[in-house]
Short mmCIF file of all heavy atoms in Angstrom, two decimals:
data_model
loop_
_atom_site.label_atom_id
_atom_site.label_comp_id
_atom_site.label_asym_id
_atom_site.label_seq_id
_atom_site.Cartn_x
_atom_site.Cartn_y
_atom_site.Cartn_z
N THR A 1 -19.59 3.99 1.43
CA THR A 1 -19.54 5.06 0.43
C THR A 1 -18.77 6.25 1.00
O THR A 1 -19.14 6.80 2.04
CB THR A 1 -20.96 5.51 0.04
OG1 THR A 1 -21.67 4.40 -0.52
CG2 THR A 1 -20.90 6.64 -0.98
N LEU A 2 -17.69 6.62 0.33
CA LEU A 2 -16.87 7.76 0.74
C LEU A 2 -16.76 8.72 -0.43
O LEU A 2 -16.38 8.32 -1.53
CB LEU A 2 -15.47 7.29 1.15
CG LEU A 2 -15.38 6.32 2.34
CD1 LEU A 2 -13.97 5.74 2.42
CD2 LEU A 2 -15.73 7.05 3.63
N ASP A 3 -17.08 9.99 -0.21
CA ASP A 3 -16.96 10.96 -1.30
C ASP A 3 -15.52 11.42 -1.49
O ASP A 3 -15.08 11.70 -2.62
CB ASP A 3 -17.88 12.16 -1.07
CG ASP A 3 -17.71 12.80 0.30
OD1 ASP A 3 -16.92 12.28 1.13
OD2 ASP A 3 -18.37 13.83 0.55
N PHE A 4 -14.76 11.48 -0.40
CA PHE A 4 -13.36 11.86 -0.44
C PHE A 4 -12.59 11.01 0.57
O PHE A 4 -13.17 10.48 1.51
CB PHE A 4 -13.16 13.33 -0.03
CG PHE A 4 -13.77 14.35 -0.94
CD1 PHE A 4 -15.10 14.74 -0.79
CD2 PHE A 4 -13.02 14.94 -1.96
CE1 PHE A 4 -15.66 15.70 -1.62
CE2 PHE A 4 -13.58 15.89 -2.79
CZ PHE A 4 -14.90 16.27 -2.62
N ILE A 5 -11.28 10.94 0.40
CA ILE A 5 -10.42 10.36 1.43
C ILE A 5 -9.23 11.30 1.64
O ILE A 5 -8.81 12.00 0.72
CB ILE A 5 -9.96 8.93 1.09
CG1 ILE A 5 -9.20 8.86 -0.25
CG2 ILE A 5 -11.14 7.98 1.09
CD1 ILE A 5 -7.71 8.76 -0.10
N ASP A 6 -8.70 11.29 2.87
CA ASP A 6 -7.61 12.19 3.22
C ASP A 6 -6.31 11.46 3.55
O ASP A 6 -5.24 12.06 3.48
CB ASP A 6 -8.01 13.06 4.41
CG ASP A 6 -9.17 13.97 4.08
OD1 ASP A 6 -9.00 14.82 3.19
OD2 ASP A 6 -10.26 13.82 4.67
N PHE A 7 -6.40 10.20 3.95
CA PHE A 7 -5.21 9.43 4.32
C PHE A 7 -5.25 8.06 3.65
O PHE A 7 -6.32 7.47 3.48
CB PHE A 7 -5.13 9.25 5.84
CG PHE A 7 -5.02 10.54 6.61
CD1 PHE A 7 -6.14 11.11 7.19
CD2 PHE A 7 -3.80 11.19 6.72
CE1 PHE A 7 -6.05 12.30 7.89
CE2 PHE A 7 -3.69 12.38 7.42
CZ PHE A 7 -4.82 12.94 8.00
N VAL A 8 -4.07 7.57 3.31
CA VAL A 8 -3.92 6.24 2.73
C VAL A 8 -2.96 5.45 3.61
O VAL A 8 -1.93 5.99 4.04
CB VAL A 8 -3.37 6.31 1.29
CG1 VAL A 8 -3.14 4.90 0.73
CG2 VAL A 8 -4.32 7.09 0.38
N ARG A 9 -3.28 4.20 3.89
CA ARG A 9 -2.41 3.33 4.67
C ARG A 9 -2.18 2.05 3.87
O ARG A 9 -3.10 1.50 3.26
CB ARG A 9 -3.04 3.00 6.02
CG ARG A 9 -2.22 2.03 6.89
CD ARG A 9 -2.85 1.88 8.28
NE ARG A 9 -2.71 3.13 9.03
CZ ARG A 9 -3.34 3.36 10.17
NH1 ARG A 9 -4.18 2.45 10.68
NH2 ARG A 9 -3.16 4.50 10.80
N VAL A 10 -0.95 1.56 3.88
CA VAL A 10 -0.60 0.30 3.22
C VAL A 10 0.06 -0.59 4.26
O VAL A 10 0.94 -0.13 5.00
CB VAL A 10 0.38 0.53 2.05
CG1 VAL A 10 0.74 -0.80 1.39
CG2 VAL A 10 -0.22 1.49 1.02
N TYR A 11 -0.37 -1.86 4.33
CA TYR A 11 0.30 -2.80 5.24
C TYR A 11 0.59 -4.13 4.56
O TYR A 11 -0.15 -4.57 3.67
CB TYR A 11 -0.50 -3.00 6.53
CG TYR A 11 -1.82 -3.73 6.45
CD1 TYR A 11 -1.89 -5.12 6.56
CD2 TYR A 11 -3.02 -3.03 6.33
CE1 TYR A 11 -3.11 -5.79 6.53
CE2 TYR A 11 -4.24 -3.68 6.31
CZ TYR A 11 -4.29 -5.06 6.42
OH TYR A 11 -5.50 -5.71 6.38
N THR A 12 1.69 -4.76 4.98
CA THR A 12 2.04 -6.08 4.46
C THR A 12 0.93 -7.06 4.80
O THR A 12 0.51 -7.17 5.95
CB THR A 12 3.37 -6.56 5.07
OG1 THR A 12 4.40 -5.63 4.73
CG2 THR A 12 3.73 -7.94 4.53
N ALA A 13 0.47 -7.81 3.78
CA ALA A 13 -0.76 -8.59 3.94
C ALA A 13 -0.56 -10.10 3.96
O ALA A 13 -1.54 -10.85 4.04
CB ALA A 13 -1.75 -8.22 2.83
N VAL A 14 0.69 -10.59 3.89
CA VAL A 14 0.95 -12.03 3.92
C VAL A 14 1.95 -12.33 5.03
O VAL A 14 2.95 -11.63 5.18
CB VAL A 14 1.53 -12.52 2.57
CG1 VAL A 14 1.88 -14.00 2.64
CG2 VAL A 14 0.54 -12.27 1.43
N ASN A 15 1.65 -13.35 5.82
CA ASN A 15 2.58 -13.83 6.85
C ASN A 15 3.29 -15.04 6.27
O ASN A 15 2.75 -16.15 6.24
CB ASN A 15 1.84 -14.20 8.13
CG ASN A 15 2.79 -14.68 9.22
OD1 ASN A 15 4.00 -14.52 9.11
ND2 ASN A 15 2.24 -15.26 10.27
N GLN A 16 4.51 -14.84 5.78
CA GLN A 16 5.17 -15.89 5.01
C GLN A 16 6.69 -15.74 5.06
O GLN A 16 7.22 -14.63 4.96
CB GLN A 16 4.69 -15.77 3.56
CG GLN A 16 5.36 -16.64 2.55
CD GLN A 16 4.72 -16.47 1.18
OE1 GLN A 16 3.98 -17.32 0.72
NE2 GLN A 16 5.00 -15.35 0.52
N ASN A 17 7.36 -16.87 5.18
CA ASN A 17 8.82 -16.91 5.05
C ASN A 17 9.14 -17.72 3.78
O ASN A 17 8.74 -18.88 3.66
CB ASN A 17 9.46 -17.57 6.27
CG ASN A 17 10.95 -17.70 6.12
OD1 ASN A 17 11.62 -16.76 5.70
ND2 ASN A 17 11.49 -18.86 6.43
N ALA A 18 9.83 -17.06 2.85
CA ALA A 18 10.12 -17.71 1.57
C ALA A 18 11.59 -18.12 1.51
O ALA A 18 12.38 -17.59 0.72
CB ALA A 18 9.78 -16.76 0.42
N GLY A 19 11.96 -19.05 2.36
CA GLY A 19 13.31 -19.60 2.32
C GLY A 19 14.40 -18.55 2.41
O GLY A 19 14.34 -17.66 3.27
N TRP A 20 15.39 -18.64 1.52
CA TRP A 20 16.51 -17.71 1.58
C TRP A 20 16.10 -16.29 1.21
O TRP A 20 16.83 -15.32 1.49
CB TRP A 20 17.66 -18.18 0.70
CG TRP A 20 17.36 -18.24 -0.78
CD1 TRP A 20 16.92 -19.31 -1.48
CD2 TRP A 20 17.48 -17.16 -1.70
NE1 TRP A 20 16.76 -18.97 -2.80
CE2 TRP A 20 17.11 -17.66 -2.96
CE3 TRP A 20 17.89 -15.83 -1.59
CZ2 TRP A 20 17.11 -16.86 -4.10
CZ3 TRP A 20 17.89 -15.04 -2.73
CH2 TRP A 20 17.50 -15.56 -3.97
N LEU A 21 14.89 -16.12 0.61
CA LEU A 21 14.39 -14.77 0.35
C LEU A 21 13.99 -14.06 1.63
O LEU A 21 13.92 -12.83 1.68
CB LEU A 21 13.19 -14.81 -0.60
CG LEU A 21 13.44 -15.17 -2.07
CD1 LEU A 21 12.13 -15.19 -2.82
CD2 LEU A 21 14.40 -14.17 -2.71
N GLY A 22 13.69 -14.82 2.66
CA GLY A 22 13.26 -14.24 3.93
C GLY A 22 11.77 -13.95 3.97
O GLY A 22 10.98 -14.51 3.19
N GLU A 23 11.38 -13.09 4.90
CA GLU A 23 9.96 -12.76 5.09
C GLU A 23 9.43 -12.01 3.88
O GLU A 23 10.17 -11.28 3.19
CB GLU A 23 9.77 -11.92 6.36
CG GLU A 23 10.09 -10.44 6.24
CD GLU A 23 11.56 -10.13 6.16
OE1 GLU A 23 12.39 -11.01 6.51
OE2 GLU A 23 11.92 -8.99 5.74
N THR A 24 8.15 -12.22 3.61
CA THR A 24 7.48 -11.44 2.57
C THR A 24 7.16 -10.07 3.15
O THR A 24 6.49 -9.96 4.18
CB THR A 24 6.19 -12.14 2.12
OG1 THR A 24 6.53 -13.40 1.51
CG2 THR A 24 5.41 -11.30 1.13
N SER A 25 7.66 -9.02 2.51
CA SER A 25 7.49 -7.66 3.04
C SER A 25 7.15 -6.70 1.91
O SER A 25 7.87 -6.60 0.91
CB SER A 25 8.77 -7.19 3.74
OG SER A 25 9.87 -7.22 2.85
N THR A 26 6.03 -6.02 2.06
CA THR A 26 5.61 -5.03 1.07
C THR A 26 6.56 -3.84 1.08
O THR A 26 6.97 -3.38 2.15
CB THR A 26 4.18 -4.55 1.38
OG1 THR A 26 3.30 -5.68 1.39
CG2 THR A 26 3.70 -3.54 0.35
N GLU A 27 6.91 -3.37 -0.10
CA GLU A 27 7.69 -2.14 -0.23
C GLU A 27 6.85 -1.09 -0.96
O GLU A 27 6.05 -1.41 -1.84
CB GLU A 27 8.99 -2.38 -1.00
CG GLU A 27 10.16 -2.83 -0.14
CD GLU A 27 10.08 -4.29 0.24
OE1 GLU A 27 9.93 -5.13 -0.66
OE2 GLU A 27 10.18 -4.58 1.45
N VAL A 28 7.05 0.16 -0.59
CA VAL A 28 6.34 1.29 -1.20
C VAL A 28 7.37 2.26 -1.76
O VAL A 28 8.36 2.58 -1.09
CB VAL A 28 5.44 2.01 -0.17
CG1 VAL A 28 4.80 3.26 -0.79
CG2 VAL A 28 4.36 1.06 0.35
N THR A 29 7.13 2.74 -3.00
CA THR A 29 8.06 3.68 -3.62
C THR A 29 7.39 4.99 -4.04
O THR A 29 8.07 5.87 -4.58
CB THR A 29 8.76 3.05 -4.84
OG1 THR A 29 7.76 2.65 -5.80
CG2 THR A 29 9.59 1.85 -4.43
N GLY A 30 6.09 5.12 -3.80
CA GLY A 30 5.42 6.37 -4.15
C GLY A 30 3.93 6.19 -4.34
O GLY A 30 3.41 5.07 -4.29
N ALA A 31 3.23 7.30 -4.58
CA ALA A 31 1.78 7.27 -4.83
C ALA A 31 1.36 8.57 -5.48
O ALA A 31 2.05 9.59 -5.36
CB ALA A 31 1.02 7.05 -3.53
N GLU A 32 0.22 8.53 -6.17
CA GLU A 32 -0.28 9.75 -6.80
C GLU A 32 -1.79 9.72 -6.96
O GLU A 32 -2.40 8.65 -7.06
CB GLU A 32 0.37 9.97 -8.17
CG GLU A 32 0.06 8.91 -9.20
CD GLU A 32 0.74 9.19 -10.54
OE1 GLU A 32 1.93 8.83 -10.67
OE2 GLU A 32 0.08 9.79 -11.42
N ASP A 33 -2.38 10.90 -6.95
CA ASP A 33 -3.79 11.10 -7.26
C ASP A 33 -3.91 10.95 -8.78
O ASP A 33 -3.24 11.65 -9.54
CB ASP A 33 -4.21 12.50 -6.81
CG ASP A 33 -5.68 12.82 -7.06
OD1 ASP A 33 -6.32 12.10 -7.85
OD2 ASP A 33 -6.17 13.82 -6.51
N LEU A 34 -4.78 10.06 -9.23
CA LEU A 34 -4.91 9.79 -10.66
C LEU A 34 -5.80 10.79 -11.38
O LEU A 34 -5.91 10.75 -12.61
CB LEU A 34 -5.44 8.38 -10.88
CG LEU A 34 -4.45 7.26 -10.57
CD1 LEU A 34 -5.12 5.89 -10.71
CD2 LEU A 34 -3.22 7.34 -11.47
N HIS A 35 -6.44 11.69 -10.64
CA HIS A 35 -7.29 12.70 -11.29
C HIS A 35 -7.25 14.00 -10.47
O HIS A 35 -8.25 14.43 -9.91
CB HIS A 35 -8.73 12.19 -11.43
CG HIS A 35 -9.28 11.51 -10.22
ND1 HIS A 35 -9.42 12.15 -9.00
CD2 HIS A 35 -9.72 10.25 -10.03
CE1 HIS A 35 -9.95 11.30 -8.13
NE2 HIS A 35 -10.12 10.14 -8.72
N LEU A 36 -6.08 14.59 -10.42
CA LEU A 36 -5.85 15.78 -9.60
C LEU A 36 -6.87 16.88 -9.89
O LEU A 36 -7.47 17.44 -8.97
CB LEU A 36 -4.43 16.31 -9.83
CG LEU A 36 -4.08 17.64 -9.15
CD1 LEU A 36 -4.17 17.52 -7.65
CD2 LEU A 36 -2.69 18.10 -9.57
N GLU A 37 -7.05 17.22 -11.15
CA GLU A 37 -7.96 18.32 -11.49
C GLU A 37 -9.38 18.03 -11.04
O GLU A 37 -10.09 18.92 -10.55
CB GLU A 37 -7.91 18.61 -12.99
CG GLU A 37 -6.57 19.18 -13.45
CD GLU A 37 -6.56 19.52 -14.92
OE1 GLU A 37 -7.61 19.29 -15.58
OE2 GLU A 37 -5.53 19.99 -15.42
#
């Protein structure tokens, strides 16, 4: 149980090589608080 959080971490969660696509790698393009007020 956490009332607040201050840091967020994201990590690639699959160890996989998908042929000519290469390694499976998570990409991040942004984030937001869904209830700022």
Side-chain angles (χ1 to χ4, degrees):
T1 299
L2 298 168
D3 53 356
F4 295 87
I5 58 103
D6 296 297
F7 299 98
V8 177
R9 177 174 291 169
V10 179
Y11 69 88
T12 300
V14 176
N15 181 13
Q16 173 177 255
N17 177 45
W20 64 266
L21 289 178
E23 80 287 343
T24 296
S25 58
T26 302
E27 273 78 53
V28 175
T29 59
E32 64 180 84
D33 181 345
L34 289 175
H35 44 61
L36 174 62
E37 292 183 359

